[in-house]
Amino acid sequence: MSFIVAVDGPAGSGKGTITKKIEEQIGLINLDTGATYRCVALEVLRNGYSLNDEKKITDMIDNMEIKIKKDGSKDIILLNGKDVSSAIRSKEVTSIVSQVSSIIPVREKMVLIQRKLAEGKNSIVEGRDIGTVVFPDADLKIYLDASEEIRAQRRYKENIEKGLNISYEETLENIKLRDYNDKNKKVGALKQAEDAVYIDTSDLTIDEVVEKIKELIQNIS
Ligand code: DC
């Protein structure tokens, strides 16, 4: 029997890094559901659609095929057979993805795709609404959190490493804005599931969080 681990939390809580490490260490399939919304945002930009044109955007998704190919420890995101792994991380995509992910028919379709990608395999699925909407019957639910300041510091450091010149103050403002958008969506808002294990990562190292989650996974009966 396969099992699903749902991991939700705000931007900068460490979800991506942590679930990737768990995938590498215990061989689960890691699904980054944000990548599916990023694929939709990329197609919107490529087609030049306005974000208000919900009908065109929703129709467009019927012609989108999203697949994930494992390449060693790397995940290759394939959109209609083409590798879009880097393109979906661009600044342009990042700046519209939150709005795209608020369109209700987009969410309905992405949830179906996400379920198909993870079901039947031992999977660790990360996002915002995994324990509440995508897999409400997940075998284990985790909610990762950290203070706004710590999450902004993490993003600020990552940006410096990438050579991006964004001040700490601006990074903190961006985090606050993303939290607000994520928590106030009409559908699929970021929310801790009632039966989720809450982990505050503010004062923990990545490896400490990984160990905690691995222990919880071992206890799935
Ligand atoms: O985790 P990320 O930054 O790659 O997510 C991209 C966007 O998609 C972000 O604005 C939040 C949204 N998202 C969502 O609404 N539901 C999910 N399950 C995952 C991401």
Side-chain angles (χ1 to χ4, degrees):
M1 271 289 281
S2 56
F3 63 83
I4 301 271
V5 180
V7 181
D8 291 301
S13 56
K15 294 183 309 269
T17 316
I18 287 161
T19 54
K20 191 90 217 124
K21 281 209 156 198
I22 294 173
E23 171 181 53
E24 285 164 17
Q25 293 181 17
I26 58 173
L28 303 183
I29 298 292
N30 171 219
L31 175 62
D32 161 16
T33 58
T36 63
Y37 293 103
R38 287 175 178 272
C39 284
V40 181
L42 179 66
E43 276 298 271
V44 168
L45 288 174
R46 285 181 172 169
N47 283 297
Y49 293 153
S50 151
L51 288 175
N52 297 322
D53 215 335
E54 296 196 4
K55 168 90 177 75
K56 274 193 185 151
I57 296 176
T58 311
D59 289 347
M60 178 192 86
I61 305 177
D62 291 331
N63 300 314
M64 281 176 59
E65 185 195 52
I66 300 172
K67 284 196 172 155
I68 300 174
K69 202 172 87 186
K70 298 280 154 193
D71 179 15
S73 65
K74 254 179 67 187
D75 286 342
I76 314 263
I77 313 292
L78 296 171
L79 173 56
N80 296 335
K82 297 240 165 65
D83 181 356
V84 293
S85 316
S86 321
I88 59 168
R89 307 280 160 205
S90 73
K91 245 168 98 174
E92 292 74 17
V93 166
T94 301
S95 68
I96 65 159
V97 65
S98 175
Q99 249 180 296
V100 169
S101 73
S102 302
I103 302 172
I104 291 173
V106 168
R107 295 203 73 83
E108 286 168 353
K109 292 195 177 185
M110 286 305 111
V111 167
L112 298 180
I113 290 178
Q114 292 159 13
R115 287 185 184 141
K116 231 168 105 186
L117 287 169
E119 262 164 5
K121 304 162 195 144
N122 288 340
S123 304
I124 184 157
V125 187
E126 60 116 333
R128 307 291 193 288
D129 60 341
I130 310 305
T132 51
V133 176
V134 185
F135 289 111
D137 296 326
D139 301 87
L140 171 65
K141 298 180 187 177
I142 313 259
Y143 188 89
L144 289 183
D145 207 356
S147 70
E148 286 173 341
E149 289 75 16
I150 294 273
R151 290 185 286 120
Q153 267 169 27
R154 290 175 183 164
R155 273 290 137 87
Y156 176 62
K157 244 181 84 189
E158 275 170 22
N159 286 337
I160 290 181
E161 280 159 14
K162 285 188 206 154
L164 294 172
N165 186 18
I166 306 170
S167 71
Y168 169 76
E169 288 70 25
E170 195 182 334
T171 312
L172 179 61
E173 281 318 302
N174 285 339
I175 287 272
K176 286 184 180 170
L177 185 68
R178 283 192 65 175
D179 282 1
Y180 182 84
N181 288 338
D182 282 351
K183 289 180 177 165
N184 289 286
K185 282 203 185 91
K186 287 206 184 81
V187 174
L190 169 65
K191 203 170 93 193
Q192 183 185 344
E194 272 176 22
D195 49 350
V197 179
Y198 180 88
I199 303 177
D200 186 338
T201 70
S202 303
D203 299 317
L204 298 174
T205 64
I206 286 169
D207 287 336
E208 284 170 334
V209 182
V210 167
E211 285 311 313
K212 246 181 205 282
I213 299 180
K214 274 165 58 183
E215 251 178 66
L216 292 166
I217 293 175
Q218 268 167 8
N219 291 331
I220 294 178
S221 49

